[in-house]
Amino acid sequence: MKIGFIGLGAMGFPMARHLAREHEVIVWNRTREKAERHSREYGTKLAKDLADTAAADVIITMLPTSSEVDEIVDKLLPHVRRGTLWIDATSGDPNVSRETAKRLAAKGVDFVDAPVTGAIVGAENATLTIMIGGSKEAFERAKDVLRLNGKTIIHVGDIGAGHAIKVLTNSIMGATVWITSECMLLAKKLGIDIKTALAVTNAGSGRSNASENLLPMRLADGKWPLVFKLAHHDKDIRIAASLAHQQHASTPLLALTSQLYTASLNELGDKADYIEVAKIIAKMNNFEW
Ligand code: NDP
């Protein structure tokens, strides 16, 4: 099968590599050097231009937000072929995706939203969890491709459902990172060693992905790698908060989480990693990790 892969960022680069194990993958990236490197290292085909990817049976986008996906759809719409499947792996906005799907459907192109979770390590090891919104038939087609990227692939519902659950689950993570960082800071102020505080948390009811995997290296070991941009995480939580608003749902903690992440992004800038919100909590307390 021919796959056109658009967006070789932190996630897309390793995802496209795994697809090339079984398929002919045509890669396109805004910064062309990354696509050239991909082609060199993994034998993928370098797209001459964006339109080249429309020769594929399946087009995959892995971009920051639904806005960039829409820009790409605008540019590719004159070139796409009837019967193509468009898989949008971006963590996007379900409302935008439904409109995008309509535009593509008018050209005979099926669309699924297929955001992923599992971080860069999951993309590198092909162990992502992938949540898919779309028709049953399109889901089956997408699953047959994405099984090279993930272990758990779930059909969540109609178009937009994948994007919806993705932003909700990331909001849970965002709130958990925030409250766990606050409590670790408090533990330290109370004279308890952070490693000990995390060990107790991880052996008890406060345990989470944040306490087990995300915070120990940063708060206890002082390592702050950039693995997931705070700008992307803020976008996800903002989409979740806007979905709550549209549903007239009362979700005060989600609203507050969104506000806290946006404030952190404004303070830290778009080069920051998502766990650096813990630095904002430290700053609020005249404290250093
Ligand atoms: P990156 O910022 O590393 O990569 C973004 C990609 O999009 C790059 O290839 C970039 O090209 C391209 N791009 C940006 N703007 C445009 C544009 N205007 N037109 C065309 N291409 C553009 O992001 P990630 O790979 O980390 O994230 C991608 C998506 O996956 C996001 O929606 C994110 O929320 C989600 N995600 C990320 C995870 C992570 O741990 N990083 C985990 C799960 C989901 P260029 O190389 O030119 O900059």
PDB file of all heavy atoms in Angstrom, residues 1-5 22-26 51-60 79-87 108-112 138 141-142 144-145:
ATOM      1  N   MET A   1       0.847  -1.197   0.000  1.00  0.00           N
ATOM      2  CA  MET A   1       0.000   0.000   0.000  1.00  0.00           C
ATOM      3  C   MET A   1       0.889   1.257   0.000  1.00  0.00           C
ATOM      4  O   MET A   1       1.975   1.251   0.565  1.00  0.00           O
ATOM      5  CB  MET A   1      -0.848  -0.020   1.283  1.00  0.00           C
ATOM      6  CG  MET A   1      -1.969   0.982   1.307  1.00  0.00           C
ATOM      7  SD  MET A   1      -2.770   1.042   2.922  1.00  0.00           S
ATOM      8  CE  MET A   1      -3.421  -0.607   3.080  1.00  0.00           C
ATOM      9  N   LYS A   2       0.386   2.324  -0.632  1.00  0.00           N
ATOM     10  CA  LYS A   2       1.137   3.595  -0.605  1.00  0.00           C
ATOM     11  C   LYS A   2       0.562   4.486   0.495  1.00  0.00           C
ATOM     12  O   LYS A   2      -0.653   4.706   0.527  1.00  0.00           O
ATOM     13  CB  LYS A   2       0.946   4.324  -1.930  1.00  0.00           C
ATOM     14  CG  LYS A   2       1.964   3.960  -2.978  1.00  0.00           C
ATOM     15  CD  LYS A   2       1.879   4.957  -4.116  1.00  0.00           C
ATOM     16  CE  LYS A   2       2.702   4.464  -5.277  1.00  0.00           C
ATOM     17  NZ  LYS A   2       2.429   5.144  -6.502  1.00  0.00           N
ATOM     18  N   ILE A   3       1.440   4.996   1.350  1.00  0.00           N
ATOM     19  CA  ILE A   3       0.999   5.891   2.424  1.00  0.00           C
ATOM     20  C   ILE A   3       1.713   7.232   2.280  1.00  0.00           C
ATOM     21  O   ILE A   3       2.949   7.273   2.172  1.00  0.00           O
ATOM     22  CB  ILE A   3       1.308   5.274   3.811  1.00  0.00           C
ATOM     23  CG1 ILE A   3       0.544   3.945   3.982  1.00  0.00           C
ATOM     24  CG2 ILE A   3       0.959   6.254   4.927  1.00  0.00           C
ATOM     25  CD1 ILE A   3       0.878   3.202   5.260  1.00  0.00           C
ATOM     26  N   GLY A   4       0.957   8.309   2.267  1.00  0.00           N
ATOM     27  CA  GLY A   4       1.547   9.647   2.279  1.00  0.00           C
ATOM     28  C   GLY A   4       1.581  10.129   3.716  1.00  0.00           C
ATOM     29  O   GLY A   4       0.535  10.194   4.364  1.00  0.00           O
ATOM     30  N   PHE A   5       2.771  10.433   4.247  1.00  0.00           N
ATOM     31  CA  PHE A   5       2.870  10.842   5.659  1.00  0.00           C
ATOM     32  C   PHE A   5       3.291  12.304   5.737  1.00  0.00           C
ATOM     33  O   PHE A   5       4.351  12.688   5.239  1.00  0.00           O
ATOM     34  CB  PHE A   5       3.861   9.950   6.422  1.00  0.00           C
ATOM     35  CG  PHE A   5       3.616   9.969   7.906  1.00  0.00           C
ATOM     36  CD1 PHE A   5       2.998   8.900   8.539  1.00  0.00           C
ATOM     37  CD2 PHE A   5       3.961  11.091   8.665  1.00  0.00           C
ATOM     38  CE1 PHE A   5       2.740   8.936   9.919  1.00  0.00           C
ATOM     39  CE2 PHE A   5       3.705  11.132  10.029  1.00  0.00           C
ATOM     40  CZ  PHE A   5       3.106  10.055  10.658  1.00  0.00           C
ATOM     41  N   GLU A  22       6.236  -2.121   6.230  1.00  0.00           N
ATOM     42  CA  GLU A  22       5.354  -2.926   5.366  1.00  0.00           C
ATOM     43  C   GLU A  22       4.832  -2.185   4.143  1.00  0.00           C
ATOM     44  O   GLU A  22       4.235  -2.800   3.274  1.00  0.00           O
ATOM     45  CB  GLU A  22       4.130  -3.406   6.177  1.00  0.00           C
ATOM     46  CG  GLU A  22       4.452  -4.543   7.098  1.00  0.00           C
ATOM     47  CD  GLU A  22       3.216  -5.177   7.729  1.00  0.00           C
ATOM     48  OE1 GLU A  22       2.102  -5.017   7.205  1.00  0.00           O
ATOM     49  OE2 GLU A  22       3.405  -5.824   8.779  1.00  0.00           O
ATOM     50  N   HIS A  23       4.990  -0.866   4.133  1.00  0.00           N
ATOM     51  CA  HIS A  23       4.357  -0.081   3.063  1.00  0.00           C
ATOM     52  C   HIS A  23       5.353   0.841   2.369  1.00  0.00           C
ATOM     53  O   HIS A  23       6.404   1.143   2.913  1.00  0.00           O
ATOM     54  CB  HIS A  23       3.215   0.776   3.644  1.00  0.00           C
ATOM     55  CG  HIS A  23       2.174  -0.039   4.341  1.00  0.00           C
ATOM     56  ND1 HIS A  23       1.278  -0.832   3.671  1.00  0.00           N
ATOM     57  CD2 HIS A  23       1.900  -0.202   5.668  1.00  0.00           C
ATOM     58  CE1 HIS A  23       0.478  -1.433   4.532  1.00  0.00           C
ATOM     59  NE2 HIS A  23       0.844  -1.075   5.761  1.00  0.00           N
ATOM     60  N   GLU A  24       4.925   1.306   1.187  1.00  0.00           N
ATOM     61  CA  GLU A  24       5.708   2.348   0.519  1.00  0.00           C
ATOM     62  C   GLU A  24       5.246   3.677   1.116  1.00  0.00           C
ATOM     63  O   GLU A  24       4.088   4.067   0.952  1.00  0.00           O
ATOM     64  CB  GLU A  24       5.427   2.320  -0.993  1.00  0.00           C
ATOM     65  CG  GLU A  24       6.209   3.375  -1.745  1.00  0.00           C
ATOM     66  CD  GLU A  24       5.855   3.406  -3.224  1.00  0.00           C
ATOM     67  OE1 GLU A  24       5.360   2.408  -3.773  1.00  0.00           O
ATOM     68  OE2 GLU A  24       6.061   4.478  -3.817  1.00  0.00           O
ATOM     69  N   VAL A  25       6.131   4.340   1.839  1.00  0.00           N
ATOM     70  CA  VAL A  25       5.742   5.577   2.533  1.00  0.00           C
ATOM     71  C   VAL A  25       6.368   6.789   1.831  1.00  0.00           C
ATOM     72  O   VAL A  25       7.583   6.843   1.628  1.00  0.00           O
ATOM     73  CB  VAL A  25       6.159   5.527   4.025  1.00  0.00           C
ATOM     74  CG1 VAL A  25       5.790   6.822   4.736  1.00  0.00           C
ATOM     75  CG2 VAL A  25       5.490   4.345   4.724  1.00  0.00           C
ATOM     76  N   ILE A  26       5.502   7.739   1.460  1.00  0.00           N
ATOM     77  CA  ILE A  26       5.974   8.975   0.814  1.00  0.00           C
ATOM     78  C   ILE A  26       5.918  10.067   1.892  1.00  0.00           C
ATOM     79  O   ILE A  26       4.844  10.329   2.447  1.00  0.00           O
ATOM     80  CB  ILE A  26       5.035   9.383  -0.347  1.00  0.00           C
ATOM     81  CG1 ILE A  26       4.809   8.199  -1.292  1.00  0.00           C
ATOM     82  CG2 ILE A  26       5.567  10.592  -1.101  1.00  0.00           C
ATOM     83  CD1 ILE A  26       3.589   8.370  -2.203  1.00  0.00           C
ATOM     84  N   ALA A  51       1.724  17.855  -3.104  1.00  0.00           N
ATOM     85  CA  ALA A  51       0.747  17.176  -3.972  1.00  0.00           C
ATOM     86  C   ALA A  51       1.142  15.728  -4.250  1.00  0.00           C
ATOM     87  O   ALA A  51       0.279  14.879  -4.493  1.00  0.00           O
ATOM     88  CB  ALA A  51       0.605  17.943  -5.281  1.00  0.00           C
ATOM     89  N   ASP A  52       2.438  15.455  -4.176  1.00  0.00           N
ATOM     90  CA  ASP A  52       2.954  14.105  -4.404  1.00  0.00           C
ATOM     91  C   ASP A  52       2.321  13.085  -3.441  1.00  0.00           C
ATOM     92  O   ASP A  52       2.148  11.910  -3.782  1.00  0.00           O
ATOM     93  CB  ASP A  52       4.474  14.153  -4.158  1.00  0.00           C
ATOM     94  CG  ASP A  52       5.236  13.342  -5.184  1.00  0.00           C
ATOM     95  OD1 ASP A  52       4.640  12.986  -6.208  1.00  0.00           O
ATOM     96  OD2 ASP A  52       6.421  13.059  -4.924  1.00  0.00           O
ATOM     97  N   THR A  53       1.990  13.530  -2.233  1.00  0.00           N
ATOM     98  CA  THR A  53       1.436  12.606  -1.228  1.00  0.00           C
ATOM     99  C   THR A  53       0.024  12.149  -1.610  1.00  0.00           C
ATOM    100  O   THR A  53      -0.464  11.146  -1.114  1.00  0.00           O
ATOM    101  CB  THR A  53       1.382  13.253   0.183  1.00  0.00           C
ATOM    102  OG1 THR A  53       0.558  14.426   0.105  1.00  0.00           O
ATOM    103  CG2 THR A  53       2.754  13.634   0.701  1.00  0.00           C
ATOM    104  N   ALA A  54      -0.626  12.899  -2.506  1.00  0.00           N
ATOM    105  CA  ALA A  54      -2.004  12.558  -2.895  1.00  0.00           C
ATOM    106  C   ALA A  54      -2.062  11.325  -3.791  1.00  0.00           C
ATOM    107  O   ALA A  54      -3.138  10.800  -4.053  1.00  0.00           O
ATOM    108  CB  ALA A  54      -2.660  13.754  -3.589  1.00  0.00           C
ATOM    109  N   ALA A  55      -0.898  10.848  -4.220  1.00  0.00           N
ATOM    110  CA  ALA A  55      -0.868   9.612  -5.019  1.00  0.00           C
ATOM    111  C   ALA A  55      -1.076   8.388  -4.123  1.00  0.00           C
ATOM    112  O   ALA A  55      -1.225   7.277  -4.617  1.00  0.00           O
ATOM    113  CB  ALA A  55       0.473   9.497  -5.734  1.00  0.00           C
ATOM    114  N   ALA A  56      -1.093   8.599  -2.809  1.00  0.00           N
ATOM    115  CA  ALA A  56      -1.162   7.477  -1.871  1.00  0.00           C
ATOM    116  C   ALA A  56      -2.590   6.964  -1.702  1.00  0.00           C
ATOM    117  O   ALA A  56      -3.562   7.666  -1.984  1.00  0.00           O
ATOM    118  CB  ALA A  56      -0.599   7.921  -0.525  1.00  0.00           C
ATOM    119  N   ASP A  57      -2.697   5.709  -1.191  1.00  0.00           N
ATOM    120  CA  ASP A  57      -4.010   5.145  -0.856  1.00  0.00           C
ATOM    121  C   ASP A  57      -4.479   5.687   0.491  1.00  0.00           C
ATOM    122  O   ASP A  57      -5.676   5.800   0.749  1.00  0.00           O
ATOM    123  CB  ASP A  57      -3.916   3.611  -0.747  1.00  0.00           C
ATOM    124  CG  ASP A  57      -3.232   3.014  -1.972  1.00  0.00           C
ATOM    125  OD1 ASP A  57      -3.850   3.065  -3.037  1.00  0.00           O
ATOM    126  OD2 ASP A  57      -2.072   2.558  -1.854  1.00  0.00           O
ATOM    127  N   VAL A  58      -3.502   5.971   1.349  1.00  0.00           N
ATOM    128  CA  VAL A  58      -3.816   6.479   2.689  1.00  0.00           C
ATOM    129  C   VAL A  58      -2.936   7.699   2.948  1.00  0.00           C
ATOM    130  O   VAL A  58      -1.725   7.652   2.709  1.00  0.00           O
ATOM    131  CB  VAL A  58      -3.528   5.396   3.770  1.00  0.00           C
ATOM    132  CG1 VAL A  58      -3.683   5.965   5.168  1.00  0.00           C
ATOM    133  CG2 VAL A  58      -4.429   4.186   3.589  1.00  0.00           C
ATOM    134  N   ILE A  59      -3.552   8.789   3.407  1.00  0.00           N
ATOM    135  CA  ILE A  59      -2.783   9.996   3.774  1.00  0.00           C
ATOM    136  C   ILE A  59      -2.869  10.132   5.291  1.00  0.00           C
ATOM    137  O   ILE A  59      -3.969  10.047   5.862  1.00  0.00           O
ATOM    138  CB  ILE A  59      -3.357  11.256   3.095  1.00  0.00           C
ATOM    139  CG1 ILE A  59      -3.226  11.146   1.571  1.00  0.00           C
ATOM    140  CG2 ILE A  59      -2.666  12.523   3.609  1.00  0.00           C
ATOM    141  CD1 ILE A  59      -3.928  12.259   0.799  1.00  0.00           C
ATOM    142  N   ILE A  60      -1.721  10.326   5.940  1.00  0.00           N
ATOM    143  CA  ILE A  60      -1.711  10.507   7.398  1.00  0.00           C
ATOM    144  C   ILE A  60      -1.155  11.892   7.721  1.00  0.00           C
ATOM    145  O   ILE A  60      -0.100  12.270   7.200  1.00  0.00           O
ATOM    146  CB  ILE A  60      -0.857   9.426   8.104  1.00  0.00           C
ATOM    147  CG1 ILE A  60      -1.413   8.033   7.768  1.00  0.00           C
ATOM    148  CG2 ILE A  60      -0.829   9.653   9.611  1.00  0.00           C
ATOM    149  CD1 ILE A  60      -0.648   6.874   8.420  1.00  0.00           C
ATOM    150  N   HIS A  79      -6.016  17.696  -5.426  1.00  0.00           N
ATOM    151  CA  HIS A  79      -5.205  16.557  -5.893  1.00  0.00           C
ATOM    152  C   HIS A  79      -5.684  15.208  -5.370  1.00  0.00           C
ATOM    153  O   HIS A  79      -5.272  14.181  -5.887  1.00  0.00           O
ATOM    154  CB  HIS A  79      -3.744  16.745  -5.452  1.00  0.00           C
ATOM    155  CG  HIS A  79      -3.167  18.064  -5.847  1.00  0.00           C
ATOM    156  ND1 HIS A  79      -2.737  18.315  -7.137  1.00  0.00           N
ATOM    157  CD2 HIS A  79      -2.972  19.212  -5.147  1.00  0.00           C
ATOM    158  CE1 HIS A  79      -2.302  19.573  -7.190  1.00  0.00           C
ATOM    159  NE2 HIS A  79      -2.435  20.128  -5.995  1.00  0.00           N
ATOM    160  N   VAL A  80      -6.510  15.202  -4.308  1.00  0.00           N
ATOM    161  CA  VAL A  80      -6.856  13.910  -3.687  1.00  0.00           C
ATOM    162  C   VAL A  80      -7.693  13.054  -4.628  1.00  0.00           C
ATOM    163  O   VAL A  80      -8.390  13.569  -5.514  1.00  0.00           O
ATOM    164  CB  VAL A  80      -7.614  14.085  -2.338  1.00  0.00           C
ATOM    165  CG1 VAL A  80      -6.702  14.611  -1.269  1.00  0.00           C
ATOM    166  CG2 VAL A  80      -8.860  14.925  -2.507  1.00  0.00           C
ATOM    167  N   ARG A  81      -7.598  11.739  -4.418  1.00  0.00           N
ATOM    168  CA  ARG A  81      -8.288  10.804  -5.309  1.00  0.00           C
ATOM    169  C   ARG A  81      -9.409  10.091  -4.556  1.00  0.00           C
ATOM    170  O   ARG A  81      -9.272   9.769  -3.364  1.00  0.00           O
ATOM    171  CB  ARG A  81      -7.283   9.773  -5.846  1.00  0.00           C
ATOM    172  CG  ARG A  81      -6.177  10.421  -6.706  1.00  0.00           C
ATOM    173  CD  ARG A  81      -5.071   9.456  -7.075  1.00  0.00           C
ATOM    174  NE  ARG A  81      -4.635   8.652  -5.960  1.00  0.00           N
ATOM    175  CZ  ARG A  81      -4.599   7.324  -5.967  1.00  0.00           C
ATOM    176  NH1 ARG A  81      -4.949   6.639  -7.022  1.00  0.00           N
ATOM    177  NH2 ARG A  81      -4.181   6.648  -4.906  1.00  0.00           N
ATOM    178  N   ARG A  82     -10.517   9.847  -5.266  1.00  0.00           N
ATOM    179  CA  ARG A  82     -11.662   9.111  -4.713  1.00  0.00           C
ATOM    180  C   ARG A  82     -11.168   7.766  -4.143  1.00  0.00           C
ATOM    181  O   ARG A  82     -10.317   7.114  -4.747  1.00  0.00           O
ATOM    182  CB  ARG A  82     -12.673   8.897  -5.849  1.00  0.00           C
ATOM    183  CG  ARG A  82     -13.940   8.186  -5.493  1.00  0.00           C
ATOM    184  CD  ARG A  82     -14.995   8.385  -6.561  1.00  0.00           C
ATOM    185  NE  ARG A  82     -15.496   9.761  -6.560  1.00  0.00           N
ATOM    186  CZ  ARG A  82     -16.404  10.229  -5.706  1.00  0.00           C
ATOM    187  NH1 ARG A  82     -16.951   9.437  -4.822  1.00  0.00           N
ATOM    188  NH2 ARG A  82     -16.788  11.487  -5.774  1.00  0.00           N
ATOM    189  N   GLY A  83     -11.677   7.407  -2.963  1.00  0.00           N
ATOM    190  CA  GLY A  83     -11.308   6.107  -2.377  1.00  0.00           C
ATOM    191  C   GLY A  83     -10.124   6.182  -1.416  1.00  0.00           C
ATOM    192  O   GLY A  83      -9.813   5.217  -0.729  1.00  0.00           O
ATOM    193  N   THR A  84      -9.485   7.355  -1.367  1.00  0.00           N
ATOM    194  CA  THR A  84      -8.363   7.532  -0.419  1.00  0.00           C
ATOM    195  C   THR A  84      -8.916   7.587   1.006  1.00  0.00           C
ATOM    196  O   THR A  84     -10.029   8.067   1.229  1.00  0.00           O
ATOM    197  CB  THR A  84      -7.611   8.851  -0.739  1.00  0.00           C
ATOM    198  OG1 THR A  84      -7.153   8.792  -2.085  1.00  0.00           O
ATOM    199  CG2 THR A  84      -6.438   9.084   0.190  1.00  0.00           C
ATOM    200  N   LEU A  85      -8.120   7.108   1.958  1.00  0.00           N
ATOM    201  CA  LEU A  85      -8.464   7.255   3.375  1.00  0.00           C
ATOM    202  C   LEU A  85      -7.531   8.291   3.984  1.00  0.00           C
ATOM    203  O   LEU A  85      -6.315   8.193   3.827  1.00  0.00           O
ATOM    204  CB  LEU A  85      -8.297   5.914   4.116  1.00  0.00           C
ATOM    205  CG  LEU A  85      -8.482   5.978   5.639  1.00  0.00           C
ATOM    206  CD1 LEU A  85      -9.931   6.306   6.010  1.00  0.00           C
ATOM    207  CD2 LEU A  85      -8.048   4.658   6.295  1.00  0.00           C
ATOM    208  N   TRP A  86      -8.119   9.286   4.671  1.00  0.00           N
ATOM    209  CA  TRP A  86      -7.309  10.314   5.355  1.00  0.00           C
ATOM    210  C   TRP A  86      -7.354  10.028   6.853  1.00  0.00           C
ATOM    211  O   TRP A  86      -8.422  10.072   7.460  1.00  0.00           O
ATOM    212  CB  TRP A  86      -7.870  11.708   5.058  1.00  0.00           C
ATOM    213  CG  TRP A  86      -6.945  12.824   5.484  1.00  0.00           C
ATOM    214  CD1 TRP A  86      -6.468  13.061   6.740  1.00  0.00           C
ATOM    215  CD2 TRP A  86      -6.390  13.850   4.658  1.00  0.00           C
ATOM    216  NE1 TRP A  86      -5.645  14.164   6.739  1.00  0.00           N
ATOM    217  CE2 TRP A  86      -5.584  14.675   5.474  1.00  0.00           C
ATOM    218  CE3 TRP A  86      -6.499  14.156   3.293  1.00  0.00           C
ATOM    219  CZ2 TRP A  86      -4.898  15.783   4.987  1.00  0.00           C
ATOM    220  CZ3 TRP A  86      -5.815  15.265   2.810  1.00  0.00           C
ATOM    221  CH2 TRP A  86      -5.025  16.077   3.650  1.00  0.00           C
ATOM    222  N   ILE A  87      -6.179   9.742   7.422  1.00  0.00           N
ATOM    223  CA  ILE A  87      -6.093   9.488   8.870  1.00  0.00           C
ATOM    224  C   ILE A  87      -5.446  10.705   9.520  1.00  0.00           C
ATOM    225  O   ILE A  87      -4.282  11.010   9.236  1.00  0.00           O
ATOM    226  CB  ILE A  87      -5.219   8.239   9.158  1.00  0.00           C
ATOM    227  CG1 ILE A  87      -5.825   6.983   8.502  1.00  0.00           C
ATOM    228  CG2 ILE A  87      -5.054   8.039  10.651  1.00  0.00           C
ATOM    229  CD1 ILE A  87      -4.939   5.724   8.649  1.00  0.00           C
ATOM    230  N   GLY A 108     -14.926  12.203  -2.239  1.00  0.00           N
ATOM    231  CA  GLY A 108     -14.889  10.734  -2.173  1.00  0.00           C
ATOM    232  C   GLY A 108     -13.782  10.201  -1.283  1.00  0.00           C
ATOM    233  O   GLY A 108     -13.370   9.050  -1.402  1.00  0.00           O
ATOM    234  N   VAL A 109     -13.291  11.069  -0.364  1.00  0.00           N
ATOM    235  CA  VAL A 109     -12.213  10.651   0.551  1.00  0.00           C
ATOM    236  C   VAL A 109     -12.805  10.424   1.942  1.00  0.00           C
ATOM    237  O   VAL A 109     -13.504  11.282   2.477  1.00  0.00           O
ATOM    238  CB  VAL A 109     -11.103  11.734   0.606  1.00  0.00           C
ATOM    239  CG1 VAL A 109     -10.061  11.406   1.664  1.00  0.00           C
ATOM    240  CG2 VAL A 109     -10.446  11.885  -0.762  1.00  0.00           C
ATOM    241  N   ASP A 110     -12.520   9.265   2.521  1.00  0.00           N
ATOM    242  CA  ASP A 110     -12.975   8.935   3.880  1.00  0.00           C
ATOM    243  C   ASP A 110     -12.024   9.546   4.899  1.00  0.00           C
ATOM    244  O   ASP A 110     -10.817   9.606   4.646  1.00  0.00           O
ATOM    245  CB  ASP A 110     -12.948   7.413   4.061  1.00  0.00           C
ATOM    246  CG  ASP A 110     -14.343   6.831   4.044  1.00  0.00           C
ATOM    247  OD1 ASP A 110     -15.317   7.595   4.133  1.00  0.00           O
ATOM    248  OD2 ASP A 110     -14.440   5.597   3.917  1.00  0.00           O
ATOM    249  N   PHE A 111     -12.552   9.928   6.054  1.00  0.00           N
ATOM    250  CA  PHE A 111     -11.714  10.566   7.074  1.00  0.00           C
ATOM    251  C   PHE A 111     -11.913   9.861   8.411  1.00  0.00           C
ATOM    252  O   PHE A 111     -13.032   9.510   8.767  1.00  0.00           O
ATOM    253  CB  PHE A 111     -12.122  12.046   7.210  1.00  0.00           C
ATOM    254  CG  PHE A 111     -11.428  12.810   8.307  1.00  0.00           C
ATOM    255  CD1 PHE A 111     -10.276  13.539   8.040  1.00  0.00           C
ATOM    256  CD2 PHE A 111     -11.935  12.820   9.612  1.00  0.00           C
ATOM    257  CE1 PHE A 111      -9.630  14.257   9.050  1.00  0.00           C
ATOM    258  CE2 PHE A 111     -11.297  13.530  10.629  1.00  0.00           C
ATOM    259  CZ  PHE A 111     -10.143  14.257  10.332  1.00  0.00           C
ATOM    260  N   VAL A 112     -10.819   9.649   9.123  1.00  0.00           N
ATOM    261  CA  VAL A 112     -10.929   9.280  10.539  1.00  0.00           C
ATOM    262  C   VAL A 112     -10.020  10.190  11.341  1.00  0.00           C
ATOM    263  O   VAL A 112      -8.961  10.597  10.867  1.00  0.00           O
ATOM    264  CB  VAL A 112     -10.525   7.802  10.831  1.00  0.00           C
ATOM    265  CG1 VAL A 112     -11.500   6.803  10.228  1.00  0.00           C
ATOM    266  CG2 VAL A 112      -9.097   7.491  10.413  1.00  0.00           C
ATOM    267  N   ALA A 138     -14.244   2.647   7.830  1.00  0.00           N
ATOM    268  CA  ALA A 138     -13.015   3.458   7.803  1.00  0.00           C
ATOM    269  C   ALA A 138     -12.113   3.082   8.968  1.00  0.00           C
ATOM    270  O   ALA A 138     -10.878   3.050   8.838  1.00  0.00           O
ATOM    271  CB  ALA A 138     -13.369   4.943   7.847  1.00  0.00           C
ATOM    272  N   ARG A 141     -10.150   0.008   8.085  1.00  0.00           N
ATOM    273  CA  ARG A 141      -9.063   0.338   7.152  1.00  0.00           C
ATOM    274  C   ARG A 141      -7.907   1.007   7.893  1.00  0.00           C
ATOM    275  O   ARG A 141      -6.734   0.703   7.658  1.00  0.00           O
ATOM    276  CB  ARG A 141      -9.563   1.314   6.071  1.00  0.00           C
ATOM    277  CG  ARG A 141     -10.183   0.640   4.869  1.00  0.00           C
ATOM    278  CD  ARG A 141     -10.586   1.688   3.846  1.00  0.00           C
ATOM    279  NE  ARG A 141      -9.495   2.101   2.987  1.00  0.00           N
ATOM    280  CZ  ARG A 141      -9.567   3.124   2.133  1.00  0.00           C
ATOM    281  NH1 ARG A 141     -10.681   3.845   2.055  1.00  0.00           N
ATOM    282  NH2 ARG A 141      -8.545   3.432   1.372  1.00  0.00           N
ATOM    283  N   ALA A 142      -8.264   1.943   8.767  1.00  0.00           N
ATOM    284  CA  ALA A 142      -7.229   2.686   9.504  1.00  0.00           C
ATOM    285  C   ALA A 142      -6.467   1.753  10.441  1.00  0.00           C
ATOM    286  O   ALA A 142      -5.236   1.825  10.562  1.00  0.00           O
ATOM    287  CB  ALA A 142      -7.862   3.825  10.288  1.00  0.00           C
ATOM    288  N   ASP A 144      -5.864  -1.351  10.164  1.00  0.00           N
ATOM    289  CA  ASP A 144      -4.967  -2.227   9.426  1.00  0.00           C
ATOM    290  C   ASP A 144      -3.618  -1.546   9.148  1.00  0.00           C
ATOM    291  O   ASP A 144      -2.590  -2.207   9.035  1.00  0.00           O
ATOM    292  CB  ASP A 144      -5.650  -2.638   8.106  1.00  0.00           C
ATOM    293  CG  ASP A 144      -4.897  -3.782   7.463  1.00  0.00           C
ATOM    294  OD1 ASP A 144      -4.458  -4.675   8.220  1.00  0.00           O
ATOM    295  OD2 ASP A 144      -4.704  -3.760   6.232  1.00  0.00           O
ATOM    296  N   VAL A 145      -3.631  -0.211   9.061  1.00  0.00           N
ATOM    297  CA  VAL A 145      -2.385   0.545   8.864  1.00  0.00           C
ATOM    298  C   VAL A 145      -1.731   0.844  10.221  1.00  0.00           C
ATOM    299  O   VAL A 145      -0.539   0.600  10.429  1.00  0.00           O
ATOM    300  CB  VAL A 145      -2.690   1.879   8.140  1.00  0.00           C
ATOM    301  CG1 VAL A 145      -1.450   2.754   8.069  1.00  0.00           C
ATOM    302  CG2 VAL A 145      -3.255   1.614   6.745  1.00  0.00           C
TER     303      VAL A 145
END
